[in-house]
Amino acid sequence: SVYAKDSPKCDPKLFEIGVPVLGICYGHQLIAHALGGEVREGGAGEYGTTKLEVSNSSGILKGMSGAEDVWMNHRDVVEKPPAGFRISASTDKTKAAVFENPARKIYGVQFHPEVTHTVNGMKILENFVKMTGAKREWTAKNFLEQSIEEARDVIGGRKAVIGLSGGVDSSAAAVIVSDAVGKNLTAVYVDTGLMRKGETEEIRQVFSKFDLDLRIIDAGERFFKALKGVKDPEQKRKIIGKLFIDIFDENAKEVGAEVLVQGTIYSDRIESGITKHSSNIKSHHNVGGLPKKMKLEVYEPLREIYKDEVREVAREAGLPKEITEREVFPGPGLAIRMLGEVTPEKAEIVRETSAIVTEELKAAGLYDKIWMGFTVLLPVKSVGVQGDERSYKYPLVVRIIESKDAMTANFSKIPFEVLEKISSRITNEVREVNRVVYDITNKPPATMEWE
């Protein structure tokens, strides 16, 4: 809230220097507050896709008209814009959803034009960029070239290790640094015992084709021992993060490395609360899960870009489709897909059931249309009837979502017959499960993972 004591503020003189200013969400409220408008706490939050009624399609909303789908994530609202500002669009709950003063080149939008769920969001950003006179010069090719040069400057003649998961983030980071420092990079893949079905062997096959010093570490026993009795999701993430670092330290010592390369992307940093005013939603093991005292210097070549941009960079770097289009998988692995304590037995349930989800999505021709599909094991049991007998087993959640940038997501509207096939296979093939439910929550208000 703009009224919170420690909330970010800006110098009001910013609005007097004549440069275009665009406030998004909190920035929209901050402009109103700083220039004499009124901001109040809304009676109900406005989260997810919302209909925006456009009343003035010039200025920041040029090219838009009628009803637009936009992505909201707020509770406070601008009750009254500053003097001299017009209201150009509204929603049912937010009268001043867009306000602007074209003469002063100041614009505010309550929704998020930068996410894919705001259908014409890019048009709004393009309108603003034109007002600034700035040029759109970012390309995957330019970024790749600049990142290789940066890695060469940062690492120099030192040796480095990278935690390679096989996902597009760490793979792209590995290629960038490998091009920069060559044989001075060692890639370490850690099998935590919490990986997807067949994952380790797939990584071995894919990366044997690359000129990488690849080490595959079987560390399942170490991870299960460290996680024994731990139920809190943040504690899980931090334990996993520390153990990853310990293993990287051990391998770094063997090869004489001084730098740890990570595939951290910008959305990881935001959700881990790494930026000054961002909330710690969950610690990503490669950001908020890192121990405060580390022996290795951390270098993150992808730290300023989002997942869709990473995929572009990976394609530009020549990575194969099985990597560039690989389904997203969290760093802590299956540990955060079983609520409560982590055990080998529970990991096997999640691994097998998630594999069934993947197989059925591929069979239905839906796999390439989703962001990720997986299962979540709940720490409770439910009554069922199997083989004319009472059963008392685990209920399982199926989560299938669509996204582009990882900042927002929609649950996927999978056909019922596909969901039924998934449910039937799970309850028939996995003895420990007798009930399957489907998660129909978007992000926000939920996160992609359950922990």
Side-chain angles (χ1 to χ4, degrees):
S1 171
V2 293
Y3 298 110
K5 183 179 179 182
D6 59 349
S7 63
K9 302 294 192 297
C10 66
D11 189 332
K13 292 180 182 178
L14 170 69
F15 304 111
E16 307 301 329
I17 59 178
V19 299
V21 177
L22 173 61
I24 296 173
C25 195
Y26 176 82
H28 166 83
Q29 297 167 14
L30 184 59
I31 290 173
H33 180 65
L35 297 181
E38 295 179 15
V39 181
R40 65 168 177 82
E41 183 177 340
E46 203 170 22
Y47 304 107
T49 302
T50 306
K51 284 293 183 185
L52 181 78
E53 295 295 334
V54 177
S55 55
N56 192 316
S57 57
S58 61
I60 199 69
L61 298 180
K62 185 177 180 181
M64 302 173 71
S65 61
E68 297 279 350
D69 285 335
V70 299
W71 192 263
M72 290 284 197
N73 188 24
H74 73 105
R75 181 173 292 276
D76 287 8
V77 295
V78 174
E79 180 74 13
K80 181 181 178 183
F85 283 72
R86 71 188 183 204
I87 295 174
S88 296
S90 306
T91 70
D92 287 343
K93 296 179 181 177
T94 307
K95 180 181 178 182
V98 178
F99 61 69
E100 53 190 339
N101 186 323
R104 297 178 65 181
K105 304 176 186 176
I106 302 174
Y107 309 87
V109 297
Q110 181 60 72
F111 54 90
H112 288 266
E114 77 279 13
V115 302
T116 55
H117 295 86
T118 295
V119 177
N120 285 314
M122 283 304 296
K123 186 175 293 185
I124 292 172
L125 297 179
E126 287 170 359
N127 288 340
F128 182 70
V129 169
K130 288 177 182 177
M131 294 172 187
T132 67
K135 296 179 180 179
R136 295 180 61 179
E137 297 179 328
W138 190 95
T139 65
K141 182 179 180 181
N142 289 345
F143 179 86
L144 184 61
E145 292 171 352
Q146 292 165 7
S147 297
I148 293 171
E149 190 61 34
E150 180 191 79
R152 192 174 289 127
D153 290 342
V154 170
I155 299 173
R158 296 180 293 172
K159 291 188 175 182
V161 292
I162 181 168
L164 184 66
S165 69
V168 67
D169 301 340
S170 63
S171 299
V175 170
I176 288 171
V177 176
S178 179
D179 283 351
V181 303
K183 290 294 186 181
N184 278 348
L185 176 67
T186 297
V188 179
Y189 170 83
V190 181
D191 185 343
T192 63
L194 298 162
M195 314 308 288
R196 287 174 286 197
K197 188 174 182 177
E199 182 127 39
T200 299
E201 189 53 41
E202 185 178 354
I203 296 302
R204 193 192 310 274
Q205 291 176 5
V206 169
F207 285 94
S208 64
K209 304 170 187 175
F210 291 83
D211 187 22
L212 274 177
D213 176 17
L214 175 62
R215 297 185 171 201
I216 295 180
I217 311 298
D218 183 357
E221 287 188 13
R222 291 178 68 176
F223 277 86
F224 284 119
K225 183 178 179 180
L227 290 165
K228 186 175 177 59
V230 177
K231 298 181 179 180
D232 180 75
E234 275 298 289
Q235 195 177 355
K236 285 185 195 178
R237 288 175 175 271
K238 291 184 183 298
I239 288 171
I240 290 169
K242 182 182 183 305
L243 193 46
F244 266 119
I245 296 303
D246 289 345
I247 293 171
F248 295 146
D249 272 338
E250 293 162 9
N251 284 269
K253 190 177 295 183
E254 288 182 22
V255 300
E258 300 175 43
V259 181
L260 171 63
V261 180
Q262 298 206 117
T264 308
I265 64 175
Y266 196 64
S267 56
D268 295 339
R269 299 172 69 214
I270 293 173
E271 290 192 334
S272 295
I274 203 75
T275 53
K276 183 177 179 182
H277 293 289
S278 59
S279 173
N280 183 11
I281 299 168
K282 56 184 180 182
S283 294
H284 288 259
H285 78 288
N286 55 342
V287 188
L290 295 179
K292 292 181 179 179
K293 292 183 180 180
M294 287 184 55
K295 299 173 186 176
L296 297 170
E297 177 186 328
V298 176
Y299 174 58
E300 300 167 327
L302 308 175
R303 62 194 178 277
E304 299 293 342
I305 62 176
Y306 289 91
K307 181 72 74 174
D308 54 328
E309 295 165 326
V310 174
R311 293 194 193 279
E312 287 187 53
V313 171
R315 295 185 197 105
E316 184 66 34
L319 283 164
K321 186 177 180 181
E322 55 258 45
I323 296 297
T324 62
E325 308 307 317
R326 191 176 179 82
E327 186 179 297
V328 176
F329 189 61
L334 303 181
I336 57 171
R337 292 180 177 175
M338 60 187 89
L339 276 58
E341 185 177 4
V342 176
T343 68
E345 295 76 22
K346 290 180 179 179
E348 191 60 27
I349 294 171
V350 178
R351 184 166 22 250
E352 289 298 323
T353 54
S354 291
I356 289 172
V357 171
T358 297
E359 289 166 11
E360 291 305 321
L361 288 174
K362 287 181 176 178
L366 298 171
Y367 183 76
D368 292 336
K369 300 177 182 179
I370 63 144
W371 179 263
M372 60 201 306
F374 57 93
T375 61
V376 180
L377 186 65
L378 302 180
V380 296
K381 290 189 176 182
S382 69
V383 175
V385 178
Q386 291 175 294
D388 295 328
E389 294 181 354
R390 177 185 187 272
S391 67
Y392 191 57
K393 301 178 180 180
Y394 290 111
L396 193 82
V397 178
V398 172
R399 177 103 164 122
I400 305 172
I401 51 179
E402 299 170 0
S403 183
K404 186 175 181 181
D405 52 18
M407 292 304 296
T408 60
N410 283 341
F411 76 88
S412 186
K413 296 176 177 61
I414 301 297
F416 285 140
E417 57 267 25
V418 177
L419 291 175
E420 184 177 25
K421 184 71 180 293
I422 290 171
S423 177
S424 296
R425 280 197 60 192
I426 288 174
T427 53
N428 286 334
E429 298 175 25
V430 182
R431 293 174 60 90
E432 297 86 353
V433 178
N434 68 355
R435 187 183 300 271
V436 176
V437 299
Y438 189 54
D439 184 347
I440 59 169
T441 318
N442 294 332
K443 174 188 179 182
T447 55
M448 294 191 179
E449 302 286 346
W450 273 50
E451 289 193 338

